[in-house]
Amino acid sequence: AEYMAHMAVCEFPKPLVSLADGIVMGGGAGLMQAGSHAIVTDKTRFAMPESAIGLFPDAGASVFLGRCPRPLALCLGMTGRIIGAADCLMLGLANAMVPADSVKPLRTALLGCAAEEIDAVIARFRADPGVAPLQAHRTEIEHVFAGDDPVAMRDRARDLAQIKQSQFGADVHAALSTRCPMTSHVFLHLVDGDHGITDMPSALMLDYHLAMR
């Protein structure tokens, strides 16, 4: 039923605006990505935390996280790290950020506009999300999430924590030490695999078959 809902959003013939105000995780993140416009706020908390429950990041994550730089995609998919509006915009996971207290008037304006006016309406409410926090850890992320061995990634994060006293390294090491190893391997193959899948409907179909195994 969840995948069918995602598919319905993907195939909806009219513009569909997602107002991602608050917790947007797992299937909700997939729905956000399936629409035509993804709007985040200063209260957005976006994540793909499936690895914590023994499932791989699904809901089309191989496509929307797969479009991110590989180390960042692996970081988000393998650790379930929670990010906010600035990181979502930096990674192309959102089109615009608006203040949370502007969501209600934005919704009202969107409901009253024509399809061709959507972008202009959103632009009226757009705000600056500030610096993306992940940028401060970019070097560490690229170091940890290099290669294709999840165990080596975990060990590099541990070394950062122990040798460099990196809190980020400690957080990543803790996540990789407690997440399901199989799902890390599955997500690696989804990101790196030569499966030729670049669209959400095809990714959702693959997710369904993998989840049923």
Side-chain angles (χ1 to χ4, degrees):
E2 177 186 335
Y3 293 153
M4 292 301 294
H6 288 86
M7 193 71 76
V9 172
C10 287
E11 297 177 346
F12 196 67
K14 297 180 180 180
L16 198 155
V17 182
S18 299
L19 301 178
D21 180 32
I23 295 174
V24 187
M25 299 184 183
L31 285 172
M32 168 186 167
Q33 296 301 312
S36 59
H37 298 73
I39 311 303
V40 290
T41 78
D42 48 291
K43 293 184 179 179
T44 299
R45 298 295 178 265
F46 180 101
M48 293 301 292
E50 287 82 357
S51 60
I53 60 170
L55 182 66
F56 60 94
D58 61 344
S62 59
V63 168
F64 63 79
L65 289 185
R67 293 175 182 145
C68 303
R70 181 182 184 271
L72 291 165
L74 295 181
C75 177
L76 298 181
M78 293 170 66
T79 71
R81 187 174 184 85
I82 299 171
I83 60 174
D87 285 324
C88 285
L89 285 165
M90 188 231 347
L91 295 172
L93 298 171
N95 303 105
M97 177 267 188
V98 303
D101 58 9
S102 295
V103 169
K104 187 174 181 179
L106 170 61
R107 182 188 294 115
T108 300
L110 287 170
L111 290 172
C113 78
E116 61 270 17
E117 298 172 325
I118 290 175
D119 290 331
V121 169
I122 293 171
R124 294 208 314 263
F125 292 87
R126 185 190 300 265
D128 182 357
V131 178
L134 281 178
Q135 285 287 54
H137 303 292
R138 192 69 178 266
T139 300
E140 293 172 298
I141 292 171
E142 291 176 352
H143 170 68
V144 170
F145 292 96
D148 56 6
D149 182 356
V151 174
M153 295 175 189
R154 181 199 64 198
D155 291 346
R156 284 194 290 270
R158 178 203 61 204
D159 292 344
L160 278 177
Q162 293 180 350
I163 298 172
K164 300 290 188 178
Q165 288 76 52
S166 166
Q167 184 58 51
F168 179 82
D171 292 343
V172 170
H173 178 254
L176 295 179
S177 297
T178 55
R179 297 305 195 265
C180 175
M182 177 64 73
T183 62
S184 291
H185 285 283
V186 171
F187 187 62
L188 269 167
H189 283 291
L190 285 173
V191 170
D192 292 341
D194 187 21
H195 42 62
I197 292 176
T198 59
D199 62 275
M200 284 287 282
S202 298
L204 289 166
M205 186 62 70
L206 176 59
D207 290 342
Y208 173 78
H209 287 295
L210 286 173
M212 290 297 102
R213 289 188 176 182

